[in-house]
Amino acid sequence: MAQQTIPPHVLIFPFPVQGHVTTMLKLSELFCLAGIHVTYLISTQNYTRLVRCTNVLSRLSPYPGFRFQVLPESVSDGNAQSMDLVMNLFESLKTAKTFFKDLLIGEAQKPVTCIISDGLMSFTLDLGEEIGIPIIYFRTISSCSFWAYFCMPKLVEAGELPLKGDDMDVLIKNVPGMECFLRQRDLPSLCRVSDLNNSTFTMISSETHQTVRARALILNTFEDLEGPILSQIRTEFPNTYTIGPLHAHLKARLDGKTASQLASSNSLWEEDKSCIKWLDNQPLKSVVYVSFGSIAMVTREQLVEFWHGLVNSGIRFLWVIRPDSVTDEEMGSEIQAELEKATKARGYMVEWAPQEAVLAHQAVGGFLTHSGWNSTLESIFEGVPMICWPYFADQQINSRFVGEVWKVGLDIKDTCDRVVIEKAVKDMMEVRKEEFVESADQIAKMARKSVGEGGSSYCNLNRLIEDIMLMTVGGITP
Ligand SMILES: *[C@@H]1O[C@H](CO)[C@@H](O)[C@H](O)[C@H]1NC(C)=O
Ligand SMILES: *[C@@H]1O[C@H](CO)[C@@H](O)[C@H](O)[C@H]1NC(C)=O
Ligand SMILES: *[C@@H]1O[C@H](CO)[C@@H](O)[C@H](O)[C@H]1NC(C)=O
Ligand SMILES: *[C@@H]1O[C@H](CO)[C@@H](O)[C@H](O)[C@H]1NC(C)=O
């Protein structure tokens, strides 16, 4: 039988929030380097901001096989915040179903040979199956949180959910591989519901279960970091590709390419690069970098506690305060003025920072973070110890791994009292500095090895690329 070869063309569909959009864009660039054609689906809002805040268009211009495809305007969050935002977006994404289908069947010249979709959108699985295009799921969260999400029905069955009693330190027994250290408080935040009928809970749980229908699973992690949990995951998903940390993987493969390609920020906020100059004038590993990521909101009271804690510690700090991140906005600007005045001596504040460059800076010695997975990986890669104040979703479990499993930081979840902040900052930057730096260095070395030639993530990405190439030969075998 004659086989006709069509060029591999991947349709990439991330969930439209920062961490997902930027991570899957890194993957797109890696595919482009391998000669795979990519169509990247993005919301109008995210596209506008991405183009305004980054050099993405010029950076991607050398790849004729790459194009952005903007989603219909109906995909929007309706200005809600936090977990409600995620739910609203989730609902509104379903309005893109017809649009997505038209894309899949409309490309006669250059048919889509593989779909890579964010592992939260099972309507893409329905369409992939209906039209006969292989679909690979990409979960941009940590493997440990993916596994915990996957085990949620088991926890319900075993009576461990809804959570019991007031003691949040009670161990959870039914997430295989985590029996010895996972407490009630470390479960993803949406497990803290009294009513299992809660729509967010059922959505994440059932969406995660749909992963079994995908042909394969991609995770932004590396074997040396999450090996034991990955062994558990492979009992359910034998075809799992770990190819992270993606931001570093892309840099490694771009090595020797032009400088503009190396400065590959995908931020949806304008980065204030003045903080790098400020860092240049600070002593080695003397600064705590403070950022709560792109979604987390803090109340005025919490902000004030953080501020006192930081100032009282006596340690220098670089603080990112998104203008929209304080729940009481009027108070927010007032506090900001007050903070700016009081912290001139040791602090510096920006609305958004070039995070990869900040974490790589020699003056930075620690990271006070919300424990989003993308931030956690960036910190791990640069060998920067963390203080974790998780906000929601997967962050509660990421921070447990940082504190208890990898031992590269302190997990202060569920409190931001000024005394706790002060002690944590001093511990990380002075008292227990050597211990943290040593373990962070060790893991950073493994991370670098994983994305270097012959490393586990390097080899897994090659295997993924080969498998995608095979999907184009003589049609698709089920
Ligand atoms: C990204 O796009 C979604 C969908 O339109 C929107 O809800 C969200 O606010 C956007 N985020 C940013 C930072 O532009
Ligand atoms: C859960 O919600 C569904 C519909 O939303 C309802 O039919 C069902 O009775 C509810 N179950 C419980 C236990 O509340
Ligand atoms: C589900 O639980 C979350 C978190 O506890 C809460 O914010 C949300 O309002 C709940 N949703 C419903 C429909 O009860
Ligand atoms: C990771 O997240 C941080 C904060 O949300 C952001 O500044 C940075 O650009 C992101 N990096 C990547 C590679 O997406």
Side-chain angles (χ1 to χ4, degrees):
M1 192 177 72
Q3 286 190 334
Q4 191 191 353
T5 306
I6 40 176
H9 175 198
V10 181
L11 186 62
I12 298 196
F13 195 173
F15 194 78
V17 293
Q18 163 104 39
H20 299 234
V21 168
T22 55
T23 306
M24 284 172 85
L25 199 49
K26 301 264 175 194
L27 179 63
S28 306
E29 292 190 57
L30 283 162
F31 283 160
C32 288
L33 282 173
I36 294 175
H37 292 215
V38 173
T39 298
Y40 188 86
L41 281 173
I42 185 165
S43 75
T44 317
Q45 224 172 320
N46 295 170
Y47 179 73
T48 311
R49 295 183 71 143
L50 188 64
V51 167
R52 191 181 47 181
C53 301
T54 70
N55 64 354
V56 68
L57 291 184
S58 60
R59 198 170 80 231
L60 292 171
S61 62
Y63 310 116
F66 180 89
R67 77 182 171 102
F68 281 111
Q69 173 66 57
V70 173
L71 286 164
E73 301 271 357
S74 58
V75 174
S76 157
D77 62 19
N79 286 329
Q81 276 146 0
S82 68
M83 206 61 205
D84 295 340
L85 170 146
V86 176
M87 281 308 283
N88 287 348
L89 266 183
F90 180 72
E91 287 307 319
S92 80
L93 270 171
K94 292 180 185 161
T95 65
K97 189 167 177 171
T98 319
F99 176 84
F100 185 65
K101 184 172 180 178
D102 290 345
L103 267 184
L104 292 179
I105 53 182
E107 303 248 354
Q109 300 304 313
K110 206 170 99 177
V112 173
T113 56
C114 172
I115 302 164
I116 296 188
S117 103
D118 208 315
L120 274 177
M121 305 189 299
S122 57
F123 71 88
T124 58
L125 283 171
D126 299 340
L127 289 173
E129 282 168 5
E130 185 187 323
I131 300 166
I133 301 176
I135 177 157
I136 299 177
Y137 253 18
F138 186 162
R139 261 329 252 274
T140 58
I141 53 177
S142 56
S143 306
C144 56
S145 59
F146 170 76
W147 184 236
Y149 281 140
F150 187 78
C151 294
M152 276 170 22
K154 208 189 283 182
L155 297 186
V156 174
E157 206 174 297
E160 292 197 285
L161 284 179
L163 301 178
K164 298 262 169 324
D166 292 332
D167 185 1
M168 290 292 273
D169 293 328
V170 166
L171 288 178
I172 291 288
K173 290 289 174 202
N174 284 282
V175 183
M178 303 186 198
E179 298 87 344
C180 303
F181 56 84
L182 192 75
R183 304 162 302 178
Q184 295 204 117
R185 75 169 77 252
D186 305 319
L187 282 171
S189 63
L190 57 88
C191 292
R192 298 183 183 193
V193 288
S194 47
D195 174 12
L196 293 181
N197 226 9
N198 178 291
S199 53
T200 313
F201 181 87
T202 50
M203 183 277 266
I204 297 279
S205 182
S206 69
E207 284 296 322
T208 300
H209 248 263
Q210 304 290 323
T211 309
V212 299
R213 292 165 60 196
R215 176 176 285 228
L217 174 65
I218 301 172
L219 292 167
N220 185 16
T221 189
F222 56 102
E223 296 293 326
D224 283 338
L225 186 66
E226 295 194 279
I229 299 305
L230 287 163
S231 313
Q232 299 286 347
I233 289 177
R234 288 193 171 102
T235 62
E236 300 282 345
F237 308 98
N239 204 8
T240 294
Y241 305 88
T242 53
I243 58 173
L246 269 175
H247 72 287
H249 203 162
L250 178 60
K251 266 193 203 148
R253 295 216 179 194
L254 277 173
D255 210 4
K257 293 270 177 357
T258 65
S260 88
Q261 275 175 321
L262 280 170
S264 60
S265 160
N266 291 333
S267 177
L268 298 181
W269 276 267
E270 200 91 52
E271 294 173 342
D272 184 344
K273 301 205 169 66
S274 69
C275 60
I276 300 293
K277 280 204 201 83
W278 182 81
L279 284 174
D280 286 344
N281 291 317
Q282 310 304 318
L284 191 69
K285 289 194 196 298
S286 68
V287 175
V288 186
Y289 168 56
V290 185
S291 171
F292 301 124
S294 57
I295 295 181
M297 307 290 294
V298 293
T299 64
R300 178 182 182 279
E301 273 163 289
Q302 290 171 331
L303 195 84
V304 169
E305 290 302 310
F306 277 114
W307 174 48
H308 283 291
L310 283 165
V311 168
N312 294 346
S313 76
I315 306 283
R316 296 161 204 253
F317 58 91
L318 165 61
W319 195 347
V320 172
I321 302 188
R322 264 178 21 247
D324 62 345
S325 69
V326 183
T327 40
D328 185 335
E329 252 180 62
E330 243 169 75
M331 284 303 205
S333 55
E334 208 177 281
I335 295 167
Q336 201 151 330
E338 200 183 319
L339 279 172
E340 273 166 25
K341 202 165 118 225
T343 57
K344 271 225 165 77
R346 280 191 305 275
Y348 194 80
M349 254 170 292
V350 290
E351 292 189 352
W352 198 246
Q355 180 160 298
E356 285 183 50
V358 167
L359 287 170
H361 199 287
Q362 56 174 17
V364 171
F367 184 12
L368 174 47
T369 172
H370 70 306
S371 295
W373 186 235
N374 149 38
S375 292
T376 304
L377 274 183
E378 289 180 2
S379 204
I380 281 178
F381 190 78
E382 297 299 342
V384 176
M386 286 166 264
I387 296 172
C388 305
W389 185 67
Y391 179 66
F392 80 153
D394 56 319
Q395 298 157 13
Q396 265 73 15
I397 183 163
N398 296 343
S399 64
R400 185 59 170 169
F401 272 73
V402 167
E404 192 63 25
V405 180
W406 306 319
K407 302 195 188 299
V408 291
L410 297 159
D411 180 11
I412 59 165
K413 68 165 62 80
D414 298 326
T415 166
C416 64
D417 180 279
R418 64 188 68 179
V419 178
V420 172
I421 305 287
E422 179 188 343
K423 178 166 189 322
V425 171
K426 281 182 175 159
D427 277 352
M428 177 174 67
M429 301 296 288
E430 291 173 353
V431 183
R432 298 175 61 188
K433 181 176 182 156
E434 269 175 43
E435 160 195 345
F436 287 132
V437 167
E438 195 177 310
S439 43
D441 274 348
Q442 229 166 38
I443 295 191
K445 263 191 211 114
M446 294 194 265
R448 265 193 293 278
K449 201 171 125 211
S450 75
V451 296
E453 202 170 335
S456 58
S457 294
Y458 184 93
C459 295
N460 286 341
L461 178 63
N462 285 353
R463 188 164 61 83
L464 172 63
I465 289 169
E466 280 162 25
D467 290 349
I468 288 175
M469 300 280 190
L470 281 176
M471 290 172 186
T472 72
V473 180
I476 291 115
T477 42

